Amino acid sequence: MATIMAEAPVQQKSNGTAPDKRWVYLFNALDVLEKEVQPASWDDVRSLLGGKGANLAEMTRLGIPVPPGFTVTTEACNAYLAHDRNFPPGQWEQEVAAVHTLEQQTGKRFGDAENPLLVSCRSGAKFSMPGMMDTVLNIGLNDETAQRMAELTGDPRFVYDSYRRLVQMFGSVVMGVPDEPFEQIIEEVKEIRGVRLDVDLLAEEWQQITARFKGLIMAYTGSEFPEDPYKQLELATRAVFDSWFGKRAVDYRNATGIRHDLGTAVNIQTVVFGNMGEKSGTGVAFTRNPVTGDRELYGDYLMNAQGEDVVAGIRNTLPIGHLKQEMPKVYTQFLQICEKLENHFHDMQDVEFTIEQGTLWMLQTRDGKRTARAAIKIAVDMAKEGLIDKKKAIGRVQPAQVDMLLHPQFGNEAKKQAQADGRLLVEKAVNASPGAAVGMAVFDADTAEKWAKEGKPVIMVRPETKPDDVHGMIAAQGILTSRGGATSHAAVVARQFGTPAVCGAEELHINLEQRLFTVQTETENIEVQEGSWISIDGGAGEVYLGQLDTQEPDFEREVELKTLLGWADEVRVLGVWANADYPQDAERARRYGAQGIGLCRTEHMFFQEERLPIVQEMIMARSKARRVSALDKLLPMQRADFEGIFRAMDGQPVIIRLLDPPLHEFLPGHEQLVQELADLKVRLQHFHTLSEIDAALAEVRHKEDVLSRVEALRESNPMLGLRGDRLGIVMPEITEMQVRAILEAAVHVKRQGVDVYPEIMVPLVGHVNELKTVRKLTEEVAADVFKQTGMEVDYKFGAMIEVPRAALTADELATEAEFFSCGTNDLTQTTFGISRDDAEAKFLIQYVEQGILPRNPFQQLDRSGVGKLIEMAVQQGRQTRPDMSVGICGEHGGDPDSIGFCHQIGLNYVSCSPYRVPIARLAAAQAALA
Amino acid sequence: MATIMAEAPVQQKSNGTAPDKRWVYLFNALDVLEKEVQPASWDDVRSLLGGKGANLAEMTRLGIPVPPGFTVTTEACNAYLAHDRNFPPGQWEQEVAAVHTLEQQTGKRFGDAENPLLVSCRSGAKFSMPGMMDTVLNIGLNDETAQRMAELTGDPRFVYDSYRRLVQMFGSVVMGVPDEPFEQIIEEVKEIRGVRLDVDLLAEEWQQITARFKGLIMAYTGSEFPEDPYKQLELATRAVFDSWFGKRAVDYRNATGIRHDLGTAVNIQTVVFGNMGEKSGTGVAFTRNPVTGDRELYGDYLMNAQGEDVVAGIRNTLPIGHLKQEMPKVYTQFLQICEKLENHFHDMQDVEFTIEQGTLWMLQTRDGKRTARAAIKIAVDMAKEGLIDKKKAIGRVQPAQVDMLLHPQFGNEAKKQAQADGRLLVEKAVNASPGAAVGMAVFDADTAEKWAKEGKPVIMVRPETKPDDVHGMIAAQGILTSRGGATSHAAVVARQFGTPAVCGAEELHINLEQRLFTVQTETENIEVQEGSWISIDGGAGEVYLGQLDTQEPDFEREVELKTLLGWADEVRVLGVWANADYPQDAERARRYGAQGIGLCRTEHMFFQEERLPIVQEMIMARSKARRVSALDKLLPMQRADFEGIFRAMDGQPVIIRLLDPPLHEFLPGHEQLVQELADLKVRLQHFHTLSEIDAALAEVRHKEDVLSRVEALRESNPMLGLRGDRLGIVMPEITEMQVRAILEAAVHVKRQGVDVYPEIMVPLVGHVNELKTVRKLTEEVAADVFKQTGMEVDYKFGAMIEVPRAALTADELATEAEFFSCGTNDLTQTTFGISRDDAEAKFLIQYVEQGILPRNPFQQLDRSGVGKLIEMAVQQGRQTRPDMSVGICGEHGGDPDSIGFCHQIGLNYVSCSPYRVPIARLAAAQAALA
């Protein structure tokens, strides 16, 4: 051993850490750790040992069979990375000492040819990053130990299979050789032998494969595979440390928001062999169904296989239930362990196990990833079972998961029609991640990412996926694989990101080179080229050719979600209102739990087909009298709209925003008109009859008339032009008509017994005098309506805060406004000086990619800029009017992070799209609990 | 008397004032006032008595001959206006008692036929509002007193002239009859008599005129002219009070910024008669020349005339110097009084006097209005004379007056040419208000205002002007009258507003009905119709036909101004820098006293004719390499520009802003291209030869190419689009070229011995990471330039604060920026959410007119919104970087009010147009003294 120790890595001079610091903890040393480090919480233990290491230690303490091992801490990783990739002083000595302890615990010896101790080396960060970092199995094998072990066990097939795994993983993970040539060598040998499965290969073939693997490493790297087990261990430890900043890991952390300074721990564990014959096997399982959330074991296993075989999806697996027949005692023990783990960790567990010659070993437990639906069901069920309380249940579901549940689904009609048309390509593959997705087929991750950036929806189609593919999977609308089951890499990642996925669709014959797949249906052999449209139903495991229509999910049937949101409503402080322009929107909002309408945009009503001509007549009017006459025609239509919304929101407030967009938006575009005129004039040259020419000239005159009005109205920066309250002040007759429509509608429905709370909101206010002007108009109209109808209605008058000056002078505005609603879309535009229409394509995406902006501020509220203004509006507004109600009604009202901020600064409510109301309810509750 | 008292106005029940409150002060009761009221300052006395009343009382105290009288206070006016136009309790009784005191002082009796006391009733607000409010003379005359007085004085002509004046003024001022018919009656009588002047009319004619005036009043109002003198006094007092809210007064206050709640006092004064024969007269004079500022008496008088005759400009007057010959003793006494007044009030006085049968009476003194040039000269002279100190001198000149002095003048060449062309219409009229003005002739105030609003420059041409004309005079570029002298209404108002004016141009024959004037020149009779262009030189008293070219004034020759600005520099704290894009601008800025260049806009250089094609080549480049190649051609040009500016600013800092506008601004307009393409395609149908068609097709292809680039670049809101630092980040090669040009230029001139301080400014910064990105680029280029040239130059790197988010996160920006410059034009746009291009015509003017916005925020900094953001930028910026320099470089940098604000919040400097540098120097000094 001394000689081996002499080859330990050269120590750096000093990296400032205490020389006796402990970098390594044995799995059974949790009590030692607690005594030495005195962690404040389990979270601190996880920070130090990583999630996997902490849980292995905890399982050991719980008396669950775990192969002995030890963990090199995340602190060691960070010290290594911070000091030019040098191990901190003492780490290597402690690793070597820990190996000696394993030797004592197992009675085997590391590097000993007679009774070799083999170990695995796995990464394990604080937060699970499945498949993102590297693993090396069977460290300790070399030519000498393998040969002797084969003799001793009498099972050379098993030994050389294990040895080739070490060489393969070491080559790829530690020495950087690509995966494919290794697999190619195995495929070649199988082809020569004429067998289909790995298990059918014989000992000498594995031995031959191992030798070829070594040659491959030498050819690729110019270095020999190290025969020295300690060298293997050292290099594997380094490789795991290094993998923390590998591209895959960095991408994953960027995508999921995990911090880059946490580091990873390294878990060194005695290898148990699932490939030691027919009584051996390996598998992964969830303690509940991660797709549906049902309380049942869910997983796959493979007999006579090791480690990654199950997860990689390379060989098709057996469902875990099958183990009950195959090894009933092991199955029962496994069930008990699962229950123990769930009770201990208070959450659904994702476990890995190996059976070595009939003995069950647990290799890992962690909180399991799950679909949105499962997350909700498990949280609600566990709360009902008493395993967690309601508040914890609320915290267990991410708001984004609620969104996934309410994602569109394919309608039954659409499916039936597609089937009738012969477009059902795959009827029953693995329903790996639910939801409907429609996109163009692409065959690699880079293309998926590229096309998605260009705005094309894509479905990524692969035989199986690997961690390298994640950037494409994130970009894709859906994922489709021909191999692998419900726990394959593709399935796990898809569920995590809420991307619909169908896996193991063996009917697909994927040809990556020709970039197409073929499917033999009952009637024909269909070829689907890259770029063709396909539709997948990840909940049903179905694949269709073409684009299927989607339909709204049925909220009423989401019983667990409704229960959870009911609990959320009990704890949240922030109100949740909805933006709705039509009665049917208002009804949906109410069904989804909205407590009011925070924004009813009256202009959307103007765009309706039968009204647009009247609106255009109003705009084209050359005199106020003509304008008023057009407005008179619009009045009953607007009134009817408002009546519908008031009825739908009986008993709840409805904020109606007065007309906001610039008038030219209601007219044809300038270019269109110019082009049409130019075309007409060209055509004029070809007319011959007088009547043709007369008609054409009349058309020219009309178009010129419209064009001149468009030219008079159009602006160089319409966003900052004559719109909002400016329009309603310059043309007060528009304001008058709208206020009249609102209040007449309110009186009318009140007479019918509806409990009505209209609130009139003035858009784009910048100065208190604007509010004064509109308020005076409003009060005059109100007095007239109440007098004429003989009935009064309480209404509120408020201001939209959507230019910075409104927020900066909120104390003044509050003298006139009874409520504020922050229009965060426009407020973000003016605070940044960025036009959303122009910016996203031209530089905003690049800004986010380059990290110049942390997030797209139109999606997630910019706290330090826009947020500061909103805080000022709240504080100054309430300074003047202590009971001032302040909400937001931009898109941020449906964004969980932004909702958290709104709660923090004491807003009264957020108002969002009806579809996002459930998300907002949950996010508001989580903010209150935070 | 008892019966008269019984007709006093009905008292209101109570208006909450103390019943013994004093509403009336005799002119000789200043000591009483000081004892009773204990005013904190002379300003308080003026607030209570009005400027005229206070000065009459002060003159009385100084022993200057003032006809006895009393003042009804502004408090009485305000109480009257606040209580439905009822006199406050006690006021009328006090007025009557004061009349009795006058009776004792003069030995005459009010309403007494034997020895009648006549009084004038004049308004007198705190701040002089010349001609804005109403005056009634000769109160106390009626049929009975007039007849008896005529008998007693033996001068019936004088008496009936005086009486008709009362009836005329009373009719017009108190009873609302228009002026014209009164004048028409006089003209008719003169015509019948065949005389030209008023003085040629006889007693019986004036008596007849008086009777016709009374009939006119009856006809117009249905009421008799009141014979009762106390009724006359009461109604005149009311009329003066009421005139405070007359349209003329309100307009004037709006135009000059006087508060509307001050109220006016009423001065009741014994009438002395300037129209009592050949030893009587009346006049107005200034103690110095109000046009040039020279230390000389300046004014006009008329013998045998009363009151308004001089000011109204109806009769042509004699210059004041003429009095020396006519009445040497009176002249000497007058001179002494003037000197006494100047020494007492420490300012040039504007006095009114009357000579009644050889006795001099002073009717008024006030600080005199003056031209900009005079204001400066008088302030500097008085400081040199020791009459005031330098600080007071600085406060005596309004910054806007400095601007007037630096207004353009007609060049000598242009004048000579116009003379040679026979376009000199008037060679030597009264040079009433200096400056050159070019505009279209208009003949009434309403037209002047209307045309000016439509953007047409106008010269208002009138026989004479009246207070009703002020709105038109304010709107006009210049004023031209055919009657009246240097103290006529037209001249006084024009000087106050700095509008060039030529008065008393008797050569003009104005025909108001036909809306034209004619001038007989040496060679021809020229007719000038409304709308024709004319040019006037108010400094020379010249009128030209057509539009004369103007040229820059010669700052070097403005000796007094330079002295005053030198004193200003001694007291001001705020730096004054200039915005300059070219070396010649920088030189001018420096001549005008700029301490640095606060904004050099690099894009202006891009627009130069020989560069635009290269800039377009850069923009049309489809690859980075091509773009870089075009940029390489621009580099030496930009470098040369910067070298010139650096040389001009030797020893002073120069802030250069990187490219700001969106690229499409450098390309032809979209519509233009579409139209050209459409035209080309129409023309294509008419070509026949192959070569014609080929050429046209090539042109189509080129235009389509440009059009497609324009379409790719153009934005719906370019103000909020891809511009500023966004452009320099998306196309870093532009930033690199500009930084290289700046630093290479700096190195080059430094080598030549120039003391160079370049500062690189990043426009449109919204997030600190943008600054980081550009700073990194800048540092890389700098390192390269310094390495290649072997010489280093100190430079600063800073941010332009022009979107709200920059101000809101100034603490973060300050980690990267070494200086801030607030671009208040853009900051105002984004803070209000208003595009200046679109807003001014479409609603901003209306907003200011309606009082929704107090001022145009693009002219005067909006303190409560934009100002708050700038304050945040200053405070937060200095929190991070205590020595952070902060300036502004928008147009507000030259606005005195905005400069005051910049001083208050502790900015380091303002940067403005070179022409406004002198104004800013003065305004900054005044802010420091405030």
Side-chain angles (χ1 to χ4, degrees), chain A residues 670-671 674-675 678 682 685-686 711-722 725-726 729-730 767 769-770 773 803-805 808-809 812 830-835 837-838 842-843 846-847 850-854 862 864-865 868-869 872 876, chain B residues 670-671 674-675 678 682 685-686 711-722 725-726 729-730 767 769-770 773 803-805 808-809 812 830-835 837-838 842-843 846-847 850-854 862 864-865 868-869 872 876:
Chain A
H670 185 266
E671 269 165 56
V674 170
Q675 192 59 56
V682 171
Q685 305 186 336
H686 303 287
E711 281 181 344
L713 285 172
R714 93 194 146 130
E715 297 169 306
S716 51
N717 296 283
M719 177 67 56
L720 308 175
L722 182 58
D725 63 344
R726 299 160 190 170
I729 287 170
V730 170
H767 196 287
N769 290 343
E770 293 178 307
T773 308
V803 302
R805 197 178 188 282
L808 291 162
T809 61
E812 295 173 15
T830 46
T831 304
F832 275 86
I834 286 180
S835 161
D837 292 342
D838 302 316
K842 292 213 164 93
F843 62 89
Q846 185 176 337
Y847 265 33
Q850 286 187 19
I852 293 174
L853 288 179
D862 159 52
S864 44
K868 202 181 269 183
L869 284 175
M872 289 177 79
Q876 293 189 27
Chain B
H670 185 267
E671 270 164 56
V674 170
Q675 191 60 56
V682 172
Q685 306 188 336
H686 303 284
E711 282 180 344
L713 284 172
R714 95 193 145 130
E715 297 169 306
S716 51
N717 295 283
M719 177 66 57
L720 308 176
L722 182 58
D725 64 343
R726 298 160 191 171
I729 287 170
V730 171
H767 196 286
N769 289 344
E770 293 178 309
T773 306
V803 301
R805 197 178 188 284
L808 291 162
T809 61
E812 294 172 17
T830 45
T831 303
F832 274 87
I834 287 180
S835 160
D837 293 342
D838 301 315
K842 289 212 166 95
F843 62 89
Q846 184 176 336
Y847 264 33
Q850 288 187 18
I852 292 174
L853 289 179
D862 159 51
S864 44
K868 200 180 271 182
L869 284 175
M872 288 177 79
Q876 293 188 26

Side-chain angles (χ1 to χ4, degrees), chain B residues 690-704:
Chain B
L690 257 183
S691 67
E692 273 176 348
I693 293 172
D694 270 359
L697 281 177
E699 206 181 333
V700 166
R701 270 192 302 275
H702 172 68
K703 283 204 193 299
E704 281 176 345

Side-chain angles (χ1 to χ4, degrees), chain A residues 106-385:
Chain A
T106 59
K108 301 178 177 179
R109 277 180 64 94
F110 197 49
D112 184 18
E114 297 303 320
N115 187 16
L117 170 69
L118 304 190
V119 298
S120 62
C121 179
R122 285 187 173 94
S123 67
K126 178 172 181 182
F127 301 106
S128 169
M129 298 163 61
M132 282 299 125
M133 289 189 303
D134 295 325
T135 296
V136 181
L137 296 179
N138 305 340
I139 291 170
L141 278 177
N142 56 22
D143 288 349
E144 188 190 346
T145 51
Q147 188 185 344
R148 187 78 188 116
M149 211 174 145
E151 290 163 22
L152 287 174
T153 59
D155 189 353
R157 202 210 75 87
F158 151 67
V159 171
Y160 283 104
D161 182 20
S162 301
Y163 189 22
R164 72 91 191 173
R165 283 171 195 270
L166 168 63
V167 178
Q168 181 175 357
M169 289 186 193
F170 203 93
S172 117
V173 168
V174 180
M175 304 187 76
V177 181
D179 276 328
E180 285 73 11
F182 289 109
E183 292 296 335
Q184 222 169 326
I185 288 171
I186 297 176
E187 290 302 315
E188 273 177 34
V189 175
K190 285 201 283 194
E191 209 165 302
I192 291 166
R193 265 287 315 282
V195 299
R196 201 171 70 85
L197 297 177
D198 288 5
V199 286
D200 297 330
L201 288 177
L202 303 178
E204 55 266 37
E205 281 149 3
W206 285 122
Q207 191 171 5
Q208 172 198 345
I209 285 169
T210 307
R212 287 183 65 179
F213 280 4
K214 287 189 176 182
L216 186 66
I217 289 174
M218 187 65 204
Y220 252 91
T221 67
S223 299
E224 294 279 1
F225 167 78
E227 296 280 322
D228 174 357
Y230 280 96
K231 196 72 196 168
Q232 292 172 5
L233 182 62
E234 183 216 325
L235 293 176
T237 304
R238 285 182 182 279
V240 170
F241 282 170
D242 289 339
S243 72
W244 178 253
F245 277 117
K247 184 177 182 318
R248 288 181 343 215
V250 171
D251 285 352
Y252 186 94
R253 291 198 295 272
N254 282 340
T256 51
I258 297 174
R259 276 164 48 203
H260 292 295
D261 61 355
L262 297 175
T264 182
V266 183
N267 297 294
I268 317 288
Q269 190 172 20
T270 309
V271 175
V272 288
F273 293 98
N275 54 345
M276 207 180 249
E278 293 311 314
K279 285 277 165 201
S280 300
T282 187
V284 301
F286 292 84
T287 56
R288 305 201 180 204
N289 185 319
V291 180
T292 63
D294 288 340
R295 197 175 181 184
E296 64 187 14
L297 264 192
Y298 179 97
D300 313 87
Y301 72 103
L302 272 172
M303 293 312 284
N304 203 8
Q306 198 182 13
E308 309 299 299
D309 292 351
V310 180
V311 179
I314 294 169
R315 282 164 55 192
N316 285 331
T317 53
L318 291 170
I320 189 76
H322 192 264
L323 189 63
K324 195 170 179 179
Q325 290 116 53
E326 206 160 358
M327 302 182 86
K329 272 178 69 178
V330 169
Y331 183 74
T332 305
Q333 185 193 4
F334 182 65
L335 265 186
Q336 285 163 351
I337 288 172
C338 285
E339 198 176 333
K340 193 173 195 173
L341 287 171
E342 233 191 37
N343 286 334
H344 183 76
F345 288 108
H346 303 296
D347 200 357
M348 189 251 292
Q349 295 298 297
D350 167 2
V351 297
E352 287 182 23
F353 63 92
T354 287
I355 306 164
E356 188 185 61
Q357 297 186 312
T359 304
L360 177 65
W361 295 97
M362 300 301 292
L363 301 187
Q364 170 166 297
T365 189
R366 59 185 173 188
D367 295 345
K369 308 278 177 201
R370 61 206 78 180
T371 63
R373 181 173 302 287
I376 292 163
K377 179 158 172 53
I378 292 169
V380 171
D381 284 354
M382 283 191 170
K384 286 187 175 164
E385 291 159 20

